[in-house]
PDB file of all heavy atoms in Angstrom:
ATOM      1  N   GLY A 234       7.769   7.019  -1.928  1.00  0.00           N
ATOM      2  CA  GLY A 234       8.320   8.192  -1.316  1.00  0.00           C
ATOM      3  C   GLY A 234       7.907   9.459  -2.005  1.00  0.00           C
ATOM      4  O   GLY A 234       7.802  10.595  -1.417  1.00  0.00           O
ATOM      5  N   ILE A 235       7.708   9.375  -3.313  1.00  0.00           N
ATOM      6  CA  ILE A 235       7.192  10.558  -4.068  1.00  0.00           C
ATOM      7  C   ILE A 235       5.867  10.974  -3.486  1.00  0.00           C
ATOM      8  O   ILE A 235       5.652  12.245  -3.183  1.00  0.00           O
ATOM      9  CB  ILE A 235       6.945  10.138  -5.572  1.00  0.00           C
ATOM     10  CG1 ILE A 235       8.309   9.846  -6.187  1.00  0.00           C
ATOM     11  CG2 ILE A 235       6.450  11.203  -6.363  1.00  0.00           C
ATOM     12  CD1 ILE A 235       9.440  10.928  -6.389  1.00  0.00           C
ATOM     13  N   MET A 236       4.953  10.062  -3.299  1.00  0.00           N
ATOM     14  CA  MET A 236       3.572  10.428  -2.800  1.00  0.00           C
ATOM     15  C   MET A 236       3.619  10.868  -1.292  1.00  0.00           C
ATOM     16  O   MET A 236       2.958  11.839  -0.902  1.00  0.00           O
ATOM     17  CB  MET A 236       2.642   9.311  -3.028  1.00  0.00           C
ATOM     18  CG  MET A 236       2.310   9.203  -4.428  1.00  0.00           C
ATOM     19  SD  MET A 236       1.131   7.782  -4.777  1.00  0.00           S
ATOM     20  CE  MET A 236       2.213   6.419  -4.703  1.00  0.00           C
ATOM     21  N   LEU A 237       4.567  10.266  -0.526  1.00  0.00           N
ATOM     22  CA  LEU A 237       4.646  10.540   0.907  1.00  0.00           C
ATOM     23  C   LEU A 237       5.078  12.030   1.120  1.00  0.00           C
ATOM     24  O   LEU A 237       4.804  12.529   2.169  1.00  0.00           O
ATOM     25  CB  LEU A 237       5.527   9.520   1.546  1.00  0.00           C
ATOM     26  CG  LEU A 237       4.948   8.015   1.665  1.00  0.00           C
ATOM     27  CD1 LEU A 237       5.974   7.107   2.212  1.00  0.00           C
ATOM     28  CD2 LEU A 237       3.545   7.979   2.410  1.00  0.00           C
ATOM     29  N   SER A 238       5.969  12.392   0.200  1.00  0.00           N
ATOM     30  CA  SER A 238       6.505  13.716   0.343  1.00  0.00           C
ATOM     31  C   SER A 238       5.674  14.782  -0.471  1.00  0.00           C
ATOM     32  O   SER A 238       6.079  15.977  -0.645  1.00  0.00           O
ATOM     33  CB  SER A 238       7.990  13.878  -0.038  1.00  0.00           C
ATOM     34  OG  SER A 238       8.090  13.485  -1.441  1.00  0.00           O
ATOM     35  N   ASN A 239       4.572  14.307  -1.103  1.00  0.00           N
ATOM     36  CA  ASN A 239       3.730  15.111  -1.950  1.00  0.00           C
ATOM     37  C   ASN A 239       4.618  15.817  -3.122  1.00  0.00           C
ATOM     38  O   ASN A 239       4.524  17.076  -3.347  1.00  0.00           O
ATOM     39  CB  ASN A 239       3.096  16.240  -1.163  1.00  0.00           C
ATOM     40  CG  ASN A 239       2.095  15.706  -0.109  1.00  0.00           C
ATOM     41  OD1 ASN A 239       1.215  14.871  -0.422  1.00  0.00           O
ATOM     42  ND2 ASN A 239       2.239  16.069   1.086  1.00  0.00           N
ATOM     43  N   ALA A 240       5.482  15.106  -3.715  1.00  0.00           N
ATOM     44  CA  ALA A 240       6.427  15.475  -4.743  1.00  0.00           C
ATOM     45  C   ALA A 240       5.935  15.116  -6.239  1.00  0.00           C
ATOM     46  O   ALA A 240       6.732  15.232  -7.082  1.00  0.00           O
ATOM     47  CB  ALA A 240       7.718  14.945  -4.508  1.00  0.00           C
ATOM     48  N   GLU A 241       4.648  14.909  -6.362  1.00  0.00           N
ATOM     49  CA  GLU A 241       4.192  14.497  -7.677  1.00  0.00           C
ATOM     50  C   GLU A 241       4.407  15.484  -8.716  1.00  0.00           C
ATOM     51  O   GLU A 241       4.872  15.282  -9.906  1.00  0.00           O
ATOM     52  CB  GLU A 241       2.707  14.171  -7.732  1.00  0.00           C
ATOM     53  CG  GLU A 241       2.377  12.931  -6.851  1.00  0.00           C
ATOM     54  CD  GLU A 241       2.001  13.291  -5.419  1.00  0.00           C
ATOM     55  OE1 GLU A 241       2.465  14.373  -4.926  1.00  0.00           O
ATOM     56  OE2 GLU A 241       1.288  12.438  -4.746  1.00  0.00           O
ATOM     57  N   LYS A 242       4.125  16.897  -8.421  1.00  0.00           N
ATOM     58  CA  LYS A 242       4.371  17.958  -9.375  1.00  0.00           C
ATOM     59  C   LYS A 242       5.797  18.098  -9.654  1.00  0.00           C
ATOM     60  O   LYS A 242       6.251  18.311 -10.778  1.00  0.00           O
ATOM     61  CB  LYS A 242       3.782  19.270  -8.740  1.00  0.00           C
ATOM     62  CG  LYS A 242       3.811  20.453  -9.658  1.00  0.00           C
ATOM     63  CD  LYS A 242       3.158  21.656  -9.003  1.00  0.00           C
ATOM     64  CE  LYS A 242       4.192  22.363  -8.084  1.00  0.00           C
ATOM     65  NZ  LYS A 242       3.684  23.624  -7.560  1.00  0.00           N
ATOM     66  N   GLU A 243       6.638  18.005  -8.620  1.00  0.00           N
ATOM     67  CA  GLU A 243       8.112  18.193  -8.771  1.00  0.00           C
ATOM     68  C   GLU A 243       8.651  17.105  -9.680  1.00  0.00           C
ATOM     69  O   GLU A 243       9.523  17.345 -10.451  1.00  0.00           O
ATOM     70  CB  GLU A 243       8.905  18.210  -7.465  1.00  0.00           C
ATOM     71  CG  GLU A 243       8.627  19.485  -6.675  1.00  0.00           C
ATOM     72  CD  GLU A 243       7.253  19.634  -6.006  1.00  0.00           C
ATOM     73  OE1 GLU A 243       6.421  18.625  -6.006  1.00  0.00           O
ATOM     74  OE2 GLU A 243       6.855  20.635  -5.521  1.00  0.00           O
ATOM     75  N   LEU A 244       8.105  15.912  -9.445  1.00  0.00           N
ATOM     76  CA  LEU A 244       8.639  14.719 -10.304  1.00  0.00           C
ATOM     77  C   LEU A 244       8.228  14.963 -11.794  1.00  0.00           C
ATOM     78  O   LEU A 244       9.004  14.766 -12.691  1.00  0.00           O
ATOM     79  CB  LEU A 244       7.921  13.412  -9.827  1.00  0.00           C
ATOM     80  CG  LEU A 244       8.121  12.201 -10.667  1.00  0.00           C
ATOM     81  CD1 LEU A 244       9.589  11.780 -10.705  1.00  0.00           C
ATOM     82  CD2 LEU A 244       7.232  11.047 -10.182  1.00  0.00           C
ATOM     83  N   LEU A 245       7.039  15.477 -12.052  1.00  0.00           N
ATOM     84  CA  LEU A 245       6.561  15.641 -13.367  1.00  0.00           C
ATOM     85  C   LEU A 245       7.461  16.724 -14.062  1.00  0.00           C
ATOM     86  O   LEU A 245       7.908  16.508 -15.231  1.00  0.00           O
ATOM     87  CB  LEU A 245       5.121  16.156 -13.328  1.00  0.00           C
ATOM     88  CG  LEU A 245       4.401  16.139 -14.688  1.00  0.00           C
ATOM     89  CD1 LEU A 245       4.338  14.760 -15.334  1.00  0.00           C
ATOM     90  CD2 LEU A 245       3.021  16.824 -14.522  1.00  0.00           C
ATOM     91  N   GLN A 246       7.753  17.841 -13.312  1.00  0.00           N
ATOM     92  CA  GLN A 246       8.556  18.863 -13.872  1.00  0.00           C
ATOM     93  C   GLN A 246      10.023  18.397 -14.159  1.00  0.00           C
ATOM     94  O   GLN A 246      10.633  18.709 -15.208  1.00  0.00           O
ATOM     95  CB  GLN A 246       8.668  19.960 -12.890  1.00  0.00           C
ATOM     96  CG  GLN A 246       7.281  20.693 -12.761  1.00  0.00           C
ATOM     97  CD  GLN A 246       7.300  21.793 -11.647  1.00  0.00           C
ATOM     98  OE1 GLN A 246       8.206  21.742 -10.724  1.00  0.00           O
ATOM     99  NE2 GLN A 246       6.382  22.705 -11.703  1.00  0.00           N
ATOM    100  N   PHE A 247      10.624  17.568 -13.287  1.00  0.00           N
ATOM    101  CA  PHE A 247      11.904  16.881 -13.527  1.00  0.00           C
ATOM    102  C   PHE A 247      11.956  16.037 -14.638  1.00  0.00           C
ATOM    103  O   PHE A 247      12.841  16.188 -15.503  1.00  0.00           O
ATOM    104  CB  PHE A 247      12.347  16.304 -12.145  1.00  0.00           C
ATOM    105  CG  PHE A 247      13.646  15.538 -12.327  1.00  0.00           C
ATOM    106  CD1 PHE A 247      14.799  16.145 -12.378  1.00  0.00           C
ATOM    107  CD2 PHE A 247      13.635  14.077 -12.528  1.00  0.00           C
ATOM    108  CE1 PHE A 247      16.068  15.461 -12.492  1.00  0.00           C
ATOM    109  CE2 PHE A 247      14.776  13.453 -12.724  1.00  0.00           C
ATOM    110  CZ  PHE A 247      16.081  14.107 -12.599  1.00  0.00           C
ATOM    111  N   ALA A 248      10.876  15.245 -14.773  1.00  0.00           N
ATOM    112  CA  ALA A 248      11.016  14.204 -15.953  1.00  0.00           C
ATOM    113  C   ALA A 248      10.888  14.918 -17.261  1.00  0.00           C
ATOM    114  O   ALA A 248      11.361  14.557 -18.242  1.00  0.00           O
ATOM    115  CB  ALA A 248       9.867  13.222 -15.696  1.00  0.00           C
ATOM    116  N   GLU A 249       9.911  15.877 -17.307  1.00  0.00           N
ATOM    117  CA  GLU A 249       9.670  16.701 -18.533  1.00  0.00           C
ATOM    118  C   GLU A 249      10.877  17.508 -18.985  1.00  0.00           C
ATOM    119  O   GLU A 249      11.175  17.603 -20.187  1.00  0.00           O
ATOM    120  CB  GLU A 249       8.383  17.401 -18.362  1.00  0.00           C
ATOM    121  CG  GLU A 249       7.110  16.569 -18.442  1.00  0.00           C
ATOM    122  CD  GLU A 249       5.884  17.337 -18.237  1.00  0.00           C
ATOM    123  OE1 GLU A 249       5.894  18.480 -17.918  1.00  0.00           O
ATOM    124  OE2 GLU A 249       4.851  16.786 -18.589  1.00  0.00           O
ATOM    125  N   LYS A 250      11.583  18.053 -18.000  1.00  0.00           N
ATOM    126  CA  LYS A 250      12.684  18.826 -18.320  1.00  0.00           C
ATOM    127  C   LYS A 250      13.913  17.947 -18.785  1.00  0.00           C
ATOM    128  O   LYS A 250      14.602  18.202 -19.788  1.00  0.00           O
ATOM    129  CB  LYS A 250      13.228  19.714 -17.214  1.00  0.00           C
ATOM    130  CG  LYS A 250      14.379  20.653 -17.496  1.00  0.00           C
ATOM    131  CD  LYS A 250      14.759  21.530 -16.339  1.00  0.00           C
ATOM    132  CE  LYS A 250      15.980  22.366 -16.691  1.00  0.00           C
ATOM    133  NZ  LYS A 250      16.457  23.252 -15.616  1.00  0.00           N
ATOM    134  N   SER A 251      14.114  16.851 -17.906  1.00  0.00           N
ATOM    135  CA  SER A 251      15.295  16.025 -18.184  1.00  0.00           C
ATOM    136  C   SER A 251      15.095  15.001 -19.336  1.00  0.00           C
ATOM    137  O   SER A 251      16.107  14.526 -19.980  1.00  0.00           O
ATOM    138  CB  SER A 251      15.633  15.286 -16.876  1.00  0.00           C
ATOM    139  OG  SER A 251      14.588  14.281 -16.667  1.00  0.00           O
ATOM    140  N   GLY A 252      13.755  14.744 -19.724  1.00  0.00           N
ATOM    141  CA  GLY A 252      13.508  13.786 -20.649  1.00  0.00           C
ATOM    142  C   GLY A 252      13.859  12.338 -20.363  1.00  0.00           C
ATOM    143  O   GLY A 252      13.832  11.524 -21.196  1.00  0.00           O
ATOM    144  N   ILE A 253      13.972  12.069 -19.131  1.00  0.00           N
ATOM    145  CA  ILE A 253      14.305  10.770 -18.743  1.00  0.00           C
ATOM    146  C   ILE A 253      13.251   9.825 -18.487  1.00  0.00           C
ATOM    147  O   ILE A 253      12.196  10.131 -17.915  1.00  0.00           O
ATOM    148  CB  ILE A 253      15.105  10.814 -17.192  1.00  0.00           C
ATOM    149  CG1 ILE A 253      16.386  11.673 -17.463  1.00  0.00           C
ATOM    150  CG2 ILE A 253      15.534   9.414 -16.749  1.00  0.00           C
ATOM    151  CD1 ILE A 253      17.067  11.914 -16.030  1.00  0.00           C
ATOM    152  N   PRO A 254      13.336   8.467 -18.994  1.00  0.00           N
ATOM    153  CA  PRO A 254      12.259   7.525 -18.854  1.00  0.00           C
ATOM    154  C   PRO A 254      12.016   7.172 -17.439  1.00  0.00           C
ATOM    155  O   PRO A 254      13.036   7.192 -16.481  1.00  0.00           O
ATOM    156  CB  PRO A 254      12.870   6.315 -19.488  1.00  0.00           C
ATOM    157  CG  PRO A 254      13.952   6.798 -20.431  1.00  0.00           C
ATOM    158  CD  PRO A 254      14.507   8.018 -19.796  1.00  0.00           C
ATOM    159  N   VAL A 255      10.790   7.145 -17.030  1.00  0.00           N
ATOM    160  CA  VAL A 255      10.388   6.878 -15.607  1.00  0.00           C
ATOM    161  C   VAL A 255       9.748   5.521 -15.553  1.00  0.00           C
ATOM    162  O   VAL A 255       8.689   5.128 -16.202  1.00  0.00           O
ATOM    163  CB  VAL A 255       9.389   7.937 -15.201  1.00  0.00           C
ATOM    164  CG1 VAL A 255       8.918   7.733 -13.764  1.00  0.00           C
ATOM    165  CG2 VAL A 255      10.011   9.333 -15.361  1.00  0.00           C
ATOM    166  N   ALA A 256      10.125   4.726 -14.494  1.00  0.00           N
ATOM    167  CA  ALA A 256       9.449   3.429 -14.199  1.00  0.00           C
ATOM    168  C   ALA A 256       9.196   3.468 -12.672  1.00  0.00           C
ATOM    169  O   ALA A 256       9.748   4.166 -11.943  1.00  0.00           O
ATOM    170  CB  ALA A 256      10.404   2.335 -14.449  1.00  0.00           C
ATOM    171  N   SER A 257       8.117   2.725 -12.353  1.00  0.00           N
ATOM    172  CA  SER A 257       7.641   2.799 -10.951  1.00  0.00           C
ATOM    173  C   SER A 257       7.720   1.423 -10.298  1.00  0.00           C
ATOM    174  O   SER A 257       7.584   0.330 -10.973  1.00  0.00           O
ATOM    175  CB  SER A 257       6.151   3.206 -10.961  1.00  0.00           C
ATOM    176  OG  SER A 257       5.634   3.057  -9.694  1.00  0.00           O
ATOM    177  N   THR A 258       7.931   1.376  -8.940  1.00  0.00           N
ATOM    178  CA  THR A 258       7.836   0.242  -8.090  1.00  0.00           C
ATOM    179  C   THR A 258       6.256   0.003  -7.888  1.00  0.00           C
ATOM    180  O   THR A 258       5.424   0.782  -8.305  1.00  0.00           O
ATOM    181  CB  THR A 258       8.469   0.395  -6.703  1.00  0.00           C
ATOM    182  OG1 THR A 258       7.759   1.458  -6.061  1.00  0.00           O
ATOM    183  CG2 THR A 258       9.982   0.806  -6.859  1.00  0.00           C
ATOM    184  N   LEU A 259       5.991  -1.132  -7.179  1.00  0.00           N
ATOM    185  CA  LEU A 259       4.614  -1.486  -7.011  1.00  0.00           C
ATOM    186  C   LEU A 259       3.953  -0.333  -6.229  1.00  0.00           C
ATOM    187  O   LEU A 259       2.755   0.107  -6.622  1.00  0.00           O
ATOM    188  CB  LEU A 259       4.506  -2.885  -6.128  1.00  0.00           C
ATOM    189  CG  LEU A 259       3.098  -3.264  -5.788  1.00  0.00           C
ATOM    190  CD1 LEU A 259       2.123  -3.461  -6.976  1.00  0.00           C
ATOM    191  CD2 LEU A 259       3.088  -4.439  -4.831  1.00  0.00           C
ATOM    192  N   LEU A 260       4.508   0.108  -5.119  1.00  0.00           N
ATOM    193  CA  LEU A 260       3.830   1.135  -4.258  1.00  0.00           C
ATOM    194  C   LEU A 260       3.979   2.504  -4.848  1.00  0.00           C
ATOM    195  O   LEU A 260       3.320   3.433  -4.417  1.00  0.00           O
ATOM    196  CB  LEU A 260       4.482   1.087  -2.945  1.00  0.00           C
ATOM    197  CG  LEU A 260       4.040  -0.076  -2.005  1.00  0.00           C
ATOM    198  CD1 LEU A 260       4.599   0.041  -0.599  1.00  0.00           C
ATOM    199  CD2 LEU A 260       2.665  -0.436  -1.937  1.00  0.00           C
ATOM    200  N   GLY A 261       4.895   2.652  -5.956  1.00  0.00           N
ATOM    201  CA  GLY A 261       4.979   3.991  -6.523  1.00  0.00           C
ATOM    202  C   GLY A 261       3.992   4.245  -7.637  1.00  0.00           C
ATOM    203  O   GLY A 261       3.888   5.279  -8.109  1.00  0.00           O
ATOM    204  N   LEU A 262       3.234   3.219  -7.934  1.00  0.00           N
ATOM    205  CA  LEU A 262       2.141   3.439  -9.113  1.00  0.00           C
ATOM    206  C   LEU A 262       1.258   4.496  -8.659  1.00  0.00           C
ATOM    207  O   LEU A 262       0.615   4.513  -7.576  1.00  0.00           O
ATOM    208  CB  LEU A 262       1.462   1.971  -9.269  1.00  0.00           C
ATOM    209  CG  LEU A 262       2.290   0.953  -9.973  1.00  0.00           C
ATOM    210  CD1 LEU A 262       1.555  -0.367  -9.847  1.00  0.00           C
ATOM    211  CD2 LEU A 262       2.509   1.210 -11.362  1.00  0.00           C
ATOM    212  N   GLY A 263       0.946   5.475  -9.616  1.00  0.00           N
ATOM    213  CA  GLY A 263       0.139   6.562  -9.348  1.00  0.00           C
ATOM    214  C   GLY A 263       0.934   7.866  -9.112  1.00  0.00           C
ATOM    215  O   GLY A 263       0.299   8.925  -9.234  1.00  0.00           O
ATOM    216  N   ALA A 264       2.107   7.731  -8.653  1.00  0.00           N
ATOM    217  CA  ALA A 264       2.841   8.904  -8.442  1.00  0.00           C
ATOM    218  C   ALA A 264       3.128   9.689  -9.718  1.00  0.00           C
ATOM    219  O   ALA A 264       3.476  10.876  -9.704  1.00  0.00           O
ATOM    220  CB  ALA A 264       4.215   8.503  -7.726  1.00  0.00           C
ATOM    221  N   PHE A 265       3.377   8.983 -10.779  1.00  0.00           N
ATOM    222  CA  PHE A 265       3.533   9.533 -12.185  1.00  0.00           C
ATOM    223  C   PHE A 265       2.424   8.936 -13.015  1.00  0.00           C
ATOM    224  O   PHE A 265       2.248   7.796 -13.191  1.00  0.00           O
ATOM    225  CB  PHE A 265       4.940   9.052 -12.644  1.00  0.00           C
ATOM    226  CG  PHE A 265       5.434   9.826 -13.786  1.00  0.00           C
ATOM    227  CD1 PHE A 265       6.009  11.126 -13.654  1.00  0.00           C
ATOM    228  CD2 PHE A 265       5.431   9.294 -15.124  1.00  0.00           C
ATOM    229  CE1 PHE A 265       6.486  11.890 -14.816  1.00  0.00           C
ATOM    230  CE2 PHE A 265       5.863   9.986 -16.182  1.00  0.00           C
ATOM    231  CZ  PHE A 265       6.430  11.274 -16.139  1.00  0.00           C
ATOM    232  N   PRO A 266       1.791   9.842 -13.917  1.00  0.00           N
ATOM    233  CA  PRO A 266       0.688   9.328 -14.691  1.00  0.00           C
ATOM    234  C   PRO A 266       1.153   8.298 -15.623  1.00  0.00           C
ATOM    235  O   PRO A 266       2.145   8.477 -16.370  1.00  0.00           O
ATOM    236  CB  PRO A 266       0.275  10.665 -15.590  1.00  0.00           C
ATOM    237  CG  PRO A 266       0.792  11.809 -14.655  1.00  0.00           C
ATOM    238  CD  PRO A 266       1.968  11.260 -14.012  1.00  0.00           C
TER     239      PRO A 266
END
Side-chain angles (χ1 to χ4, degrees):
I235 298 293
M236 290 179 281
L237 294 174
S238 67
N239 298 308
E241 294 92 338
K242 185 179 78 172
E243 288 75 13
L244 172 65
L245 191 63
Q246 290 170 344
F247 173 76
E249 290 182 340
K250 182 180 180 183
S251 67
I253 299 174
V255 181
S257 172
T258 66
L259 175 63
L260 290 186
L262 288 167
F265 192 81

